[in-house]
Amino acid sequence: QVHLVESGGGLVQAGGSLRLSCAASGSILRINTMLWYRQAPGKQRELVATITSGHSTNYADSVKGRFTISRDNARNTVYLQMNSLKPDDTAVYYCNAYVQDTILSGNLYWGQGTQVTVSS
């Protein structure tokens, strides 16, 4: 089994910065794509950023130029650096990872989420 734990969320004023991290542990042979999602109250879950095993990245238009996703394969960790935060960024942020966890199978795992609140 694989366990993902997010950290780094909190309360910040508009224009501030936060860095989220998500560490994977357990039975891991390799991690392919890692992703960050967010979900605000009353809204659907939104894909924020992705990063492949080859460090190719993609971002939602709403965060492009402000957020940076990165990964440390030695630590099985993905990061989300969030700069110039806006109140609209307020949400619960979830990490997601496609993990090769056995010799024969891969599975999609979710973290429990971390709250990010941006005040005006």
Side-chain angles (χ1 to χ4, degrees):
Q1 191 69 25
V2 175
H3 185 54
L4 275 62
V5 178
E6 301 100 335
S7 63
L11 176 64
V12 65
Q13 292 184 338
S17 298
L18 287 172
R19 186 178 70 169
L20 307 183
S21 63
C22 174
S25 61
S27 181
I28 300 172
L29 299 182
R30 64 171 292 163
I31 302 177
N32 297 314
T33 301
M34 305 184 78
L35 312 91
W36 283 99
Y37 286 84
R38 67 185 181 187
Q39 188 165 25
K43 297 184 178 180
Q44 294 184 357
R45 187 171 297 174
E46 175 189 20
L47 179 61
V48 176
T50 66
I51 185 167
T52 69
S53 60
H55 299 274
S56 178
T57 60
N58 283 288
Y59 299 92
D61 288 340
S62 59
V63 307
K64 191 175 299 181
R66 300 187 296 119
F67 291 11
T68 302
I69 188 171
S70 61
R71 63 190 288 170
D72 184 340
N73 290 332
R75 294 178 177 269
N76 290 323
T77 300
V78 61
Y79 303 93
L80 186 68
Q81 178 66 47
M82 306 186 297
N83 298 326
S84 301
L85 284 163
K86 305 174 181 179
D88 286 346
D89 296 319
T90 296
V92 178
Y93 285 71
Y94 300 89
C95 67
N96 192 359
Y98 291 91
V99 180
Q100 186 74 37
D101 52 1
T102 75
I103 194 67
L104 296 177
S105 67
N107 291 287
L108 179 64
Y109 290 93
W110 290 87
Q112 294 181 339
T114 184
Q115 176 71 50
V116 172
T117 302
V118 184
S119 65
S120 59

